[in-house]
Amino acid sequence: MSNPLLGFIPEPLALPFDKLLPSRKLPVGLETSQKYLQIKASIEAIGLIEPLNIGALDKATGMHVLRDGHIRVHAMKELGFLDAPCLVALDDESYTYNNRVNRLSTIQEHLMIRRAVERGVTPERIARDLKVDVSHINKKLNLLEGICAEAAGLLKDQRFSPNLGAVIRKMKPTRQIECVELMVAANNVTTAYANALLAATPAEMLVAERKPRKLSGISAEQMAKMEKEMGNLQGQYKSIEHTYGQDVLNLVLAKGYLKNLLDNQAVFRFLSMRQPDVLREFSSLVEVDALDK
């Protein structure tokens, strides 16, 4: 196999801002947004971390098109910078680079903050540089305290509120894993859903073995019903998890068989004349590409 071609020149170039041609307008009200203030504070404190993405040199004008990094450029200009490191693209991509960026997960942010604190950076300074309250940094710093390794592993690629950790750690490890599996499967990793799962958790599966405060607007009968339904849901989830691979394989085989069957003109003509309802169902099955359809 041949080596893949690089999309950028590996070594960044330091280019003055007057050699960069913007490719889009900045949004209205940018300078007062929380995101912009955090970017500006970060650059002021530790400098630019991610180089700008630019196009190849236009020999006629001597300019480079700025493909990604407009907000960083604006912040650096305000801070008095005259140039910035840039990665020059070797191909002409038309997509927006931000759409291809994998954002940091919440646990990755936790690990970065913890590493910074271990190296002597105080939570107060991190909060000041990022323009957030220090309590928010402390929540991220202590995110995984009381959470078992298996549950943390299930959350490693997710983005969620730091308040989620305070809810999950009230449960015992086995229950933590069950609840996180349900949240990830439902694509609903939120504090509100975690609180609902906590309320439906039997007392013996809680750390203090004491039921949490009742949710407002929910009666004892409704709480008992929710606990029962949650138990049924967990059982169904486990059952589906064990058979999902085989079900997908059966779906693929059935689709292939029905497609070959409908490609036969004689069969297609017979079904359309004698069994139009069956033909309609077969055609809809051939178009299915996921089990939830």
Side-chain angles (χ1 to χ4, degrees):
M1 181 182 294
S2 60
N3 293 328
L5 297 176
L6 295 177
F8 294 90
I9 296 175
E11 294 298 326
L13 303 177
L15 293 175
F17 294 130
D18 59 6
K19 294 294 183 181
L20 303 179
L21 183 65
S23 58
R24 63 181 177 85
K25 292 183 178 180
L26 294 173
V28 177
L30 170 69
E31 295 180 355
T32 58
S33 67
Q34 183 70 16
K35 176 182 177 182
Y36 175 76
L37 293 176
Q38 289 180 351
I39 291 174
K40 184 178 177 181
S42 174
I43 294 174
E44 185 177 17
I46 59 178
L48 185 67
I49 297 175
E50 182 184 358
L52 310 176
N53 293 318
I54 61 174
L57 175 67
D58 186 330
K59 295 181 180 180
T61 62
M63 303 287 285
H64 294 266
V65 174
L66 179 62
R67 295 182 173 177
D68 184 57
H70 294 77
I71 296 177
R72 281 168 278 161
V73 167
H74 188 70
M76 293 177 75
K77 287 181 178 179
E78 281 203 337
L79 293 171
F81 287 79
L82 300 177
D83 56 24
C86 304
L87 289 175
V88 182
L90 296 174
D91 50 11
D92 186 16
E93 295 286 3
S94 59
Y95 60 72
T96 301
Y97 282 86
N98 277 334
N99 291 340
R100 298 296 188 270
V101 174
N102 292 323
R103 304 298 177 189
L104 285 176
S105 69
T106 303
I107 288 182
Q108 286 174 322
E109 292 178 356
H110 154 76
L111 295 175
M112 291 176 65
I113 292 174
R114 191 176 68 179
R115 192 175 299 118
V117 171
E118 289 172 351
R119 293 177 179 177
V121 182
T122 64
E124 290 76 15
R125 180 185 172 185
I126 297 174
R128 184 176 63 252
D129 290 342
L130 295 180
K131 303 293 185 184
V132 297
D133 191 89
V134 67
S135 63
H136 185 71
I137 299 300
N138 285 328
K139 286 179 182 178
K140 289 194 173 183
L141 180 62
N142 302 318
L143 180 70
L144 297 182
E145 284 189 8
I147 298 178
C148 68
E150 291 82 357
L154 293 170
L155 291 169
K156 66 180 180 179
D157 297 324
Q158 303 290 325
R159 288 191 60 82
F160 53 88
S161 168
N163 296 324
L164 184 70
V167 180
I168 295 177
R169 67 174 60 102
K170 294 178 182 178
M171 311 174 198
K172 291 183 177 179
T174 53
R175 180 61 175 168
Q176 290 180 6
I177 297 171
E178 289 178 354
C179 291
V180 172
E181 284 179 342
L182 283 171
M183 288 190 287
V184 172
N187 194 26
N188 187 12
V189 187
T190 62
T191 305
Y193 191 23
N195 275 317
L197 294 173
L198 177 66
T201 299
E204 63 271 14
M205 300 190 73
L206 299 175
V207 171
E209 295 193 357
R210 184 176 60 189
K211 292 293 290 182
R213 183 182 61 185
K214 291 183 179 180
L215 297 177
S216 59
I218 298 180
S219 65
E221 293 77 11
Q222 290 173 323
M223 185 67 69
K225 183 178 180 181
M226 186 167 67
E227 290 180 6
K228 182 179 179 180
E229 290 178 349
M230 193 60 64
N232 292 335
L233 179 60
Q234 288 169 350
Q236 293 172 12
Y237 171 78
K238 290 293 184 183
S239 175
I240 292 173
E241 185 181 37
H242 291 150
T243 62
Y244 184 79
Q246 185 63 45
D247 291 341
V248 171
L249 176 60
N250 291 338
L251 174 65
V252 173
L253 294 176
K255 280 182 58 179
Y257 175 78
L258 289 175
K259 185 177 184 305
N260 290 334
L261 192 65
L262 296 182
D263 285 342
N264 186 307
Q265 294 299 320
V267 173
F268 184 87
R269 187 166 51 253
F270 175 84
L271 290 176
S272 61
M273 295 175 61
R274 303 291 183 88
Q275 300 290 340
D277 293 340
V278 174
L279 176 61
R280 186 163 48 252
E281 291 298 324
F282 282 180
S283 298
S284 63
L285 286 173
V286 169
E287 296 174 358
V288 170
D289 55 9
L291 289 178
D292 57 359
K293 297 181 179 180

